[in-house]
Amino acid sequence: MTSLAHLAAGAERSLVQSVDWIALAPAALPAAVALVVLVADLFLPERRKPVLGWIAVAGLALSALALLPLLDGDRRTFCLTAQPDVCSYTADPFALSIQFLVLGGALLTALLSLGTLRDAELPAGEYWFLLLSAVAGAALLPASRDLATLVVALEVASLPTFALVGLRRGDRLSSEAALKFFLSSVAATAVTLLGISFVYAATGSIHMTQVADRLPDVPGRLATLVAAGVALTLVGFAFKAAAAPFHFWVPDTYAGAPVPVAAYLSVIGKAVGFSGLIVVALVAFPSYDDVWGPVTAVLAAVTMTVGNVAALRQRAASMHSAVRLLAWSSVGQAGYLLVPIAAAAYADDPGRAVGSTVAYALMYAVVNLGAFAVVALVARSNPANRLGDYRGLYTDRPLAALALGFFLLCLAGLPPGVIGLFAKVVVFQVAVDAGLGWLAVVMAVNVVIALYYYLRWTAVLFRSPEPAAAGSRPAAADGPGAPAAGAAVPVKRPVPVPLGAAMGLSAVLGAVLSGAPQVILRFASAVLL
C-alpha cells in the first residue's frame, strides 16, 4: 500500500503543472473577449450591434496593457514538474515584442473595421468573434515552446481568417479568395505536421529545448529523417509568411477580402509566419543551421524579387489594383524580413540578428496599416479601388493624400520616412556582418526596384484630378497616373471617426518613429532569444 501511495504521489507530481495567468493574459484575454462578444451578439438588437466593435476594441487595448507586468523579466508556465526549465509557454523579450506587434496591429485593424462593417453590411458578431479568436492564436504562437502548442496556436490564428476573408456573403470574388486561401493553408499545415512528426520520431520529445538538446545526438540512420523534418516544418511557416514560392495565395486573397482583413493579413498574418520561423529555427533546430540557413537566404532573395517585380506590373485601370500592389509589396517586404533570419544561421549571436527582423516588422506594421487605412477610405467612394482612383487625392482629401504619401515613402525608405530607411540599413548591415554579401546586393537591387512603384503611386496623389467628361471615359493607359476606364465620378463621403483615428494614429506613430528611430531600432541591438 505504501509503494502504491508513493507511485500515485509521483504520478501527481509529474502531471500537475502550475499556471501563471499573468503570463498567459496577453493571449488569453482576446479569447475571453471573443466569447463575450459571441454571447452578447445573441441578445443585442440589430441597432445596438456596433457596441460589439467597441467591446472588441476595449478588449484588445486591455490585452496590450497586460504586457506591462511582464516587462520585468522572463516568465514561464506549463513547465514539467520534473524539469522546471522545460516549459510550453515562455514570456521572454521576443514573445513580448511580437505580442505587442500583434495586439497593437489588431487594435488598429479593429478601428479600420468599425466603419467597414456598416458599409459592407457584414455580420458584426461573427466578424468580431473571428477577429479576436485569430488574435488570440497569433499572440499565443511566439510564446509557444513546444511543437504541439505551436501547431495549435498556428491553427487558431489561421482558421478564423479563412472565414473573415469569405465573410462577404454572395460575393464571388470573396468566396474564391477564401477557398484558395483555405486549400493552400491546409496543404501547408499538413506539410508542417509531417515535418514535426519526423522530428518527434527522431527525438522523442515535442518540447523545443529538449528537441534542441537531442538533435545533435540523433543516430546517423535518422539524420535524413530529421533533415527532412526540419525542412518541411520551415516550409509550413514560410507559407504563412508569404515567402515565394508559397506566396501565390496573397494577391487574390487580399483583393477578395474586406480591406481591414487584408490589412490584418498583411501585418499580423506575417507576424505569425515569421515568429514561427524564428522559434523553430533558433530554439528547436539551432544545430541544423546548415539546413535552414541557406534555405532561408534563398527564400529571402526569391521572395523580395518576385514581390517587387510583380508590383511593378500593376495597371492603373485594373480592378483592385491598389490592394494588389500593396499585396505584392507585402511579399517584397517579406523578403527583407527573412534576411536577418537567414543571417542568424551564420552570425555569432543569432538572438541579436533576430532583433533586426523584429525592428523591421514593427516599422512595417505601423506604416502598412496606415496605408491600408487610406485605401479603406478611398474604397468608400471608389469600391473598385484602382490605382487610377488616387489621382488628385490631394485636391479632394489633402490630409489623406499626405498621410498615404508619407506611408509609401516609409515603405520605400526615403525621407521624410526616416524609420523605413533606418530599418532597411539595419537589415542590410546584418546581412553583411553575417557574410551574406550576395544577399545584401540582391536586397539593394530590390530596394531600387521598389522605389519606382512607391514613388509612382506617390506622384499620382498630387496630380491634377482627371476632368469629368460626359459619357464613359477613354480607355486608360498603363501606369498609376492613368484614369480608370469608364469610371464614374466618385462621391465624396465623410470620414468615419474610427477610420480617421486609425489613419491619424498611424501617421503620428510613423512621424514619431522617424524623428526618434531609436525607439524601434533598439530592438535591432537587443538579444531577444
Side-chain angles (χ1 to χ4, degrees):
M1 293 294 292
T2 304
S3 60
L4 289 176
H6 283 305
L7 287 174
E12 183 178 359
R13 283 196 300 271
S14 64
L15 294 177
V16 177
Q17 300 175 351
S18 62
V19 179
D20 186 344
W21 289 106
I22 295 178
L24 288 172
L29 282 174
V33 177
L35 294 177
V36 170
V37 167
L38 187 64
V39 173
D41 182 51
L42 299 175
F43 300 98
L44 286 175
E46 193 63 34
R47 60 185 178 83
R48 301 292 299 277
K49 296 292 187 184
V51 174
L52 299 176
W54 292 109
I55 293 175
V57 169
L60 290 170
L62 185 62
S63 302
L65 291 175
L67 294 170
L68 295 177
L70 305 176
L71 298 179
D72 56 351
D74 292 356
R75 299 182 72 137
R76 301 178 180 183
T77 188
F78 295 115
C79 302
L80 298 182
T81 53
Q83 296 176 279
D85 58 333
V86 178
C87 304
S88 295
Y89 186 100
T90 300
D92 57 16
F94 171 76
L96 297 180
S97 300
I98 299 298
Q99 287 175 339
F100 174 72
L101 188 157
V102 166
L103 296 172
L107 185 58
L108 285 175
T109 302
L111 292 175
L112 287 179
S113 303
L114 290 171
T116 303
L117 287 181
R118 182 177 60 254
D119 294 341
E121 299 180 350
L122 298 177
E126 291 93 327
Y127 181 91
W128 293 114
F129 172 75
L130 291 169
L131 180 66
L132 289 165
S133 299
V135 171
L140 172 63
L141 192 141
S144 301
R145 291 299 180 268
D146 73 59
L147 297 175
T149 305
L150 191 74
V151 171
V152 170
L154 179 65
E155 290 309 293
V156 172
S158 301
L159 290 174
T161 58
F162 305 150
L164 285 172
V165 171
L167 203 57
R168 290 192 294 205
R169 298 164 185 169
D171 188 317
R172 183 190 61 82
L173 187 63
S174 180
S175 301
E176 181 182 339
L179 181 61
K180 181 178 291 188
F181 187 24
F182 172 75
L183 293 176
S184 53
S185 183
V186 166
T189 300
V191 170
T192 304
L193 288 172
L194 182 62
I196 288 174
S197 67
F198 286 172
V199 173
Y200 176 71
T203 62
S205 177
I206 60 173
H207 287 89
M208 295 185 193
T209 52
Q210 290 185 332
V211 169
D213 291 339
R214 296 176 185 179
L215 278 180
D217 300 325
V218 168
R221 63 182 181 275
L222 296 178
T224 302
L225 182 69
V226 172
V230 170
L232 291 173
T233 304
L234 294 176
V235 164
F237 288 102
F239 166 85
K240 298 298 181 183
F246 315 108
H247 68 287
F248 52 86
W249 58 274
V250 173
D252 289 342
T253 299
Y254 284 26
V259 173
V261 176
Y264 177 89
L265 291 174
S266 73
V267 173
I268 290 85
K270 275 189 176 50
V272 169
F274 283 107
S275 58
L277 269 175
I278 290 170
V279 167
V280 296
L282 272 70
V283 179
F285 308 145
S287 59
Y288 275 72
D289 54 7
D290 58 331
V291 174
W292 57 262
V295 170
T296 307
V298 172
L299 283 177
V302 174
T303 300
M304 65 178 74
T305 303
V306 168
N308 287 319
V309 170
L312 284 175
R313 300 177 63 246
Q314 299 308 303
R315 300 173 181 269
S318 299
M319 295 284 288
H320 307 291
S321 54
V323 175
R324 285 182 176 275
L325 188 146
L326 286 177
W328 285 115
S329 164
S330 75
V331 174
Q333 299 286 344
Y336 306 147
L337 286 162
L338 282 169
V339 171
I341 302 176
Y346 304 91
D348 296 332
D349 192 348
R352 194 177 296 275
V354 166
S356 299
T357 288
V358 174
Y360 196 98
L362 289 170
M363 178 281 301
Y364 170 76
V366 171
V367 299
N368 206 61
L369 285 171
F372 269 104
V374 181
V375 167
L377 175 61
V378 173
R380 302 184 77 241
S381 302
N382 301 275
N385 224 323
R386 303 176 177 94
L387 285 168
D389 295 332
Y390 290 78
R391 178 165 181 168
L393 182 63
Y394 180 75
T395 302
D396 191 37
R397 298 186 184 274
L399 293 179
L402 289 172
L404 180 56
F406 174 67
F407 297 139
L408 293 175
L409 291 176
C410 285
L411 291 171
L414 291 177
V418 175
I419 186 61
L421 174 62
F422 273 59
K424 283 182 170 59
V425 169
V426 167
V427 171
F428 188 88
Q429 182 179 0
V430 168
V432 172
D433 292 344
L436 295 174
W438 68 270
L439 186 56
V441 172
V442 173
M443 179 181 173
V445 171
N446 275 276
V447 168
V448 174
I449 294 173
L451 286 178
Y452 177 71
Y453 62 80
Y454 285 132
L455 290 177
R456 193 172 61 175
W457 191 1
T458 304
V460 169
L461 305 175
F462 302 97
R463 291 185 182 176
S464 300
E466 186 70 17
S472 62
R473 291 179 177 176
D478 293 345
V489 177
V491 178
K492 184 174 180 179
R493 302 172 64 184
V495 181
V497 173
L499 179 57
M503 188 168 57
L505 183 59
S506 298
V508 169
L509 286 174
V512 169
L513 294 176
S514 291
Q518 65 271 16
V519 175
I520 277 186
L521 295 185
R522 65 186 179 88
F523 287 99
S525 60
V527 179
L528 298 182
L529 279 175

